[in-house]
Amino acid sequence: MKDDSRMDQKTVAVVKGLIMDGVAKANSGHPGGAMSSADFATLLYSDFLNFDPDDAQWFNRDRFILSAGHESMLLYSLLHLTGFVGMDALKEFRQMGSLTPGHPEVHLTPGVEATTGPLGQGFGMSVGFAVAEAFLRQKLGADVMDHFTYVLSSDGDLQEPIALGAASLAGLWGLGKLVVFYDSNKIQLAGPTNRVDCADIRKVFEGMCWQVLDIDGHDHGQIRKAVQDAKLEGSKPTLIVCNTVMAKGTANMEGDHNTHGAPLKADEIAASKKKLGLPAEDFHVPGDVVDHFRSRYDSMRATVADWKKNLESKLASDKDFAALWNKITTKRSALDIEWPEFTPGETMATRKAWGACLNQVTDQLPNLLGGSADLDPSNQTTKFRETVGNFGIDGYGARNLAYGVREFPMAAIMNGMALHGGVIPFGATFLTFADYCRNAIRMSALQELPSLYIFTHDSFWVGEDGPTHQPIEHVSSLRLIPDVIDLRPADATETAVCLDIAFKQDKHPSCVFLTRQGLPVLDPAEYPAVTDGARKGGYVIKDCEGTPDLIIAASGSEVSLALETAKLFKRKVRVVNICSFKLFDDQPESYKKEILPPEVTARAAAEAGRTELWHKYVGCDGVVLGLDHFGQSAPGNQLSEKYGFTPENFARLIREKY
């Protein structure tokens, strides 16, 4: 490891200059925290981070997650020094179409590992990265997968409860290759942290089974020793508490909370550059700094070459390894999955159908990792857990993730696993707790991640648990998130189809909504479209001869209700199953008009939840049987009668309108 103190200080000064210049040119951004973090972040990149200088996506690279996403100009400056981001991009910070948006975006900028904006989620995702690394290291061998996950976290990060929930799991699972730098500058946007927090972070994290190291975050000797000590600790994740000064290096504003979220003035930048020994010019990057920063590149390239050679050898000589590697590297859309079949006429809750499907794919997908938020029996993940063991507790090759009552951390950890690659993550809980996951689901969509969310107990038919556990607005709410695939299957057979759709996504997260109550397994002989119609989101499940007089649409458990209601009419009735708004809306206009002919204006819909979104299919004046109020604690069949979810009542509402 190199040790040139003068050049290290010069490099850090150049990084701080870039931070000030980038934020000032954009007239927008967060320079203070980026400058307080610059010493340890720069040394991490120049001295410790292993990556391929020629390929930002090398599989065994160390991952760096900027959980304090507002410090993005720091990351972009470092990525410029690595060669991944050009100077023009630095000068276009926060501008339309640039590679340097206000918060890092993984699909946009080379070297960015995660889209981090909402505080705490980068921390949560980093645990998912570390989970994926530990699992793949166990399965593939340390000669193929053996890297660290580094995180830059802030005071605001650790104030978000998601971070502590994820940290608790990281400690329980003994993720020794997870290293978090906590930039403890004791300042946040509105002022000093002592206004809002009295936590002793050392005690908190030590209590969650972490190694905690306290250092001066500007002392390069202490920084290097802390990273070395963290890498030597194999059984615990490490939190390096970097005690720093906000806007360190500025002439007159060190420790000032006003530097957190606003550009420095021109005179302050000029004075600060003079203090740092920088010339007055903007975006100054001298050649000796670049050479110093990249001094390890020859050895890093040699490491990558050796890794590739070893991988080729293993693929050629070890058939079992090659088969597993193929599973791990196959695109999701290319998966070939065999699903169970279900007996027509039987009654089965769709959550139980999910359980049967999960049990059948367990061996087919050896890189499937997931679990439930403390609802294993209810979410039908118990047999999966018993078959594959609990990750961390039963070893790193175990595949059940026992999340406990931590829905939000669960969702973020899933995103981290998906970002890392090589594994297929899923997580399960009750639909009413989707609210706890919601922002991470949004981040799944924003990052184009095929995370799989299993939501059971999808309506008031939860019954006696009452309104706290009976989802009303949740399906509609999740449908509002762009690029999320909503899947609400009508029966057990369609559950398998919906899961096939979800498992084969490359870029879209899926939310699968499943019932607690039993539903009739539809007979494919009578309803042939049920075996594949879900792939287009909406389809005719029961038709009439000629042009229908009435169209009844429904999703999930209400499809059976719609079918029974249709039998009460002597008119020509078409029943349409819209099990996925997203997939149906993505179909060509010609197909949508084929399913819902514009000339048929007599339309009705049924879903045990909010009614508003259904009007885009049935028209402003169409009949929608739904629920726009909270439920009650009572047996589900009694609630059906009270809320009018019976064929007789639904038919009455339609006749009154049409």
Side-chain angles (χ1 to χ4, degrees):
M1 182 174 60
K2 65 183 176 61
D3 184 9
D4 186 334
S5 299
R6 183 188 66 81
M7 283 305 302
D8 288 338
Q9 293 292 350
K10 183 175 181 179
T11 302
V12 171
V14 166
V15 168
K16 290 180 178 180
L18 292 174
I19 292 167
M20 291 187 289
D21 288 340
V23 173
K25 188 173 188 299
N27 196 29
S28 175
H30 300 74
M35 295 179 74
S36 66
S37 303
D39 287 284
F40 57 82
T42 302
L43 288 184
L44 174 67
Y45 265 82
S46 66
D47 286 16
F48 296 99
L49 201 70
N50 289 317
F51 58 93
D52 183 348
D54 306 309
D55 179 9
Q57 295 299 309
W58 177 47
F59 194 53
N60 195 35
R61 67 191 181 278
D62 286 341
R63 269 65 165 185
F64 174 75
I65 292 91
L66 181 70
S67 190
H70 55 280
E71 296 187 13
S72 56
M73 194 60 205
L74 167 61
L75 177 56
Y76 299 145
S77 299
L78 295 173
L79 292 177
H80 173 69
L81 293 180
T82 65
F84 290 150
V85 171
M87 180 56 76
D88 288 344
L90 287 191
K91 294 178 179 179
E92 294 171 357
F93 179 53
R94 290 186 165 228
Q95 303 308 299
M96 178 73 74
S98 78
L99 294 178
T100 51
H103 292 81
E105 297 181 29
V106 65
H107 61 279
L108 186 65
T109 312
V112 170
E113 300 287 0
T115 300
T116 52
L119 289 174
Q121 286 208 53
F123 192 112
M125 287 187 282
S126 74
V127 176
F129 276 91
V131 166
E133 187 279 334
F135 172 77
L136 293 172
R137 176 164 28 100
Q138 180 68 31
K139 293 296 185 180
L140 298 173
D143 57 336
V144 173
M145 177 56 57
D146 183 28
H147 70 77
F148 284 84
T149 300
Y150 296 100
V151 188
L152 196 168
S153 192
S154 67
D155 291 295
D157 267 309
L158 301 190
Q159 288 168 20
E160 287 286 0
I162 180 179
L164 298 185
S168 181
L169 290 169
L172 173 69
W173 294 335
L175 297 175
K177 287 185 172 290
L178 175 62
V179 180
V180 177
F181 294 90
Y182 164 35
D183 180 22
S184 180
N185 58 42
K186 302 173 181 61
I187 295 291
Q188 54 197 93
L189 191 145
T193 57
N194 60 16
R195 291 179 180 173
V196 299
D197 203 346
C198 67
D200 185 328
I201 291 297
R202 169 179 280 278
K203 290 181 180 178
V204 170
F205 274 76
E206 286 181 341
M208 294 189 294
C209 306
W210 284 59
Q211 173 180 234
V212 181
L213 306 173
D214 271 289
I215 66 168
D216 178 341
H218 303 302
D219 185 311
H220 291 190
Q222 292 187 39
I223 293 168
R224 284 195 175 90
K225 184 177 187 307
V227 177
Q228 291 165 341
D229 289 346
K231 294 180 72 171
L232 290 172
E233 173 53 74
S235 61
K236 293 181 179 182
T238 297
L239 181 75
I240 303 175
V241 181
C242 299
N243 295 285
T244 62
V245 177
M246 176 65 91
K248 178 69 171 178
T250 55
N252 305 293
M253 300 189 72
E254 289 189 348
D256 191 331
H257 77 271
N258 290 301
T259 66
H260 180 283
L264 303 178
K265 302 297 184 184
D267 57 347
E268 179 65 19
I269 293 175
S272 299
K273 286 183 176 180
K274 184 176 181 179
K275 176 181 176 180
L276 291 167
L278 297 172
E281 69 180 83
D282 293 341
F283 297 98
H284 171 70
V285 181
D288 59 343
V289 163
V290 174
D291 291 341
H292 177 72
F293 190 85
R294 300 180 186 180
S295 62
R296 293 188 299 127
Y297 273 24
D298 286 345
S299 63
M300 290 164 68
R301 287 188 171 103
T303 297
V304 172
D306 289 344
W307 181 89
K308 290 179 178 178
K309 183 178 179 180
N310 177 66
L311 176 62
E312 290 174 1
S313 176
K314 291 189 72 167
L315 288 171
S317 62
D318 188 333
K319 290 183 179 179
D320 291 339
F321 174 86
L324 180 59
W325 180 260
N326 183 59
K327 287 280 189 182
I328 285 170
T329 56
T330 295
K331 289 181 64 174
R332 291 272 291 266
S333 54
L335 290 174
D336 184 14
I337 304 173
E338 181 179 329
W339 299 99
E341 295 182 357
F342 300 94
T343 305
E346 289 189 353
T347 298
M348 176 180 284
T350 52
R351 66 166 175 149
K352 289 191 175 181
W354 143 252
C357 290
L358 174 62
N359 295 336
Q360 182 146 326
V361 303
T362 297
D363 292 334
Q364 296 181 61
L365 302 175
N367 58 332
L368 176 66
L369 276 74
S372 168
D374 198 46
L375 294 168
D376 302 32
S378 299
N379 294 153
Q380 300 290 300
T381 60
T382 300
K383 187 175 180 180
F384 178 77
R385 181 194 70 210
E386 293 172 345
T387 301
V388 303
N390 289 307
F391 177 85
I393 306 299
D394 299 319
Y396 293 129
R399 293 158 53 194
N400 181 72
L401 296 167
Y403 287 109
V405 189
R406 299 184 181 94
E407 296 88 353
F408 193 7
M410 173 182 75
I413 289 169
M414 288 164 58
N415 287 340
M417 289 191 286
L419 284 165
H420 182 281
V423 298
I424 300 172
F426 77 87
T429 187
F430 287 173
L431 177 55
T432 192
F433 303 140
D435 287 339
Y436 290 144
C437 307
R438 182 179 177 83
N439 200 260
I441 297 172
R442 183 176 188 271
M443 297 302 288
S444 301
L446 193 63
Q447 297 180 91
E448 301 180 349
L449 302 176
S451 298
L452 171 57
Y453 297 92
I454 301 296
F455 293 122
T456 69
H457 298 60
D458 74 342
S459 72
F460 67 79
W461 270 288
V462 172
E464 292 87 344
D465 276 346
T468 61
H469 283 55
Q470 294 171 8
I472 303 298
E473 75 280 13
H474 300 75
V475 173
S476 287
S477 174
L478 291 168
R479 285 173 177 152
L480 294 175
I481 303 175
D483 299 323
V484 170
I485 297 177
D486 58 305
L487 296 160
R488 192 164 184 253
D491 76 337
T493 298
E494 191 161 81
T495 299
V497 179
C498 288
L499 289 169
D500 195 65
I501 293 168
F503 272 93
K504 292 180 179 177
Q505 293 302 313
D506 288 323
K507 291 186 176 182
H508 295 295
S510 299
C511 294
V512 185
F513 308 115
L514 304 171
T515 68
R516 175 180 182 266
Q517 78 276 18
L519 300 177
V521 179
L522 300 174
D523 188 349
E526 184 177 2
Y527 307 107
V530 78
T531 61
D532 212 40
R535 298 187 190 281
K536 292 188 175 181
Y539 63 95
V540 177
I541 191 168
K542 184 68 173 179
D543 210 356
C544 57
E545 292 187 7
T547 302
D549 300 318
L550 170 68
I551 295 174
I552 301 177
S555 81
S557 51
E558 287 67 67
V559 171
S560 295
L561 171 64
L563 291 169
E564 291 302 310
T565 301
K567 295 176 182 178
L568 301 179
F569 288 91
K570 294 182 179 180
R571 288 182 276 175
K572 293 187 292 183
V573 181
R574 170 180 289 183
V575 179
V576 173
N577 177 359
I578 306 183
C579 61
S580 173
F581 282 26
K582 164 66 176 170
L583 294 180
F584 184 60
D585 290 346
D586 284 349
Q587 298 305 311
E589 203 62 34
S590 58
Y591 176 78
K592 289 184 281 189
K593 288 180 178 179
E594 178 186 332
I595 302 303
L596 300 173
E599 64 269 21
V600 182
T601 57
R603 301 183 184 186
E607 186 172 69
R610 296 289 301 197
T611 60
E612 293 90 345
L613 296 186
W614 280 93
H615 285 287
K616 68 178 175 177
Y617 301 128
V618 302
C620 295
D621 296 326
V623 174
V624 182
L625 173 63
L627 211 64
D628 294 326
H629 57 79
F630 295 120
Q632 298 181 51
S633 178
N637 59 351
Q638 294 181 22
L639 295 175
S640 297
E641 293 289 336
K642 181 175 179 61
Y643 300 146
F645 279 78
T646 65
E648 295 75 18
N649 181 65
F650 193 19
R652 178 187 63 80
L653 293 174
I654 295 170
R655 288 193 181 101
E656 288 178 355
K657 179 68 177 180
Y658 303 112

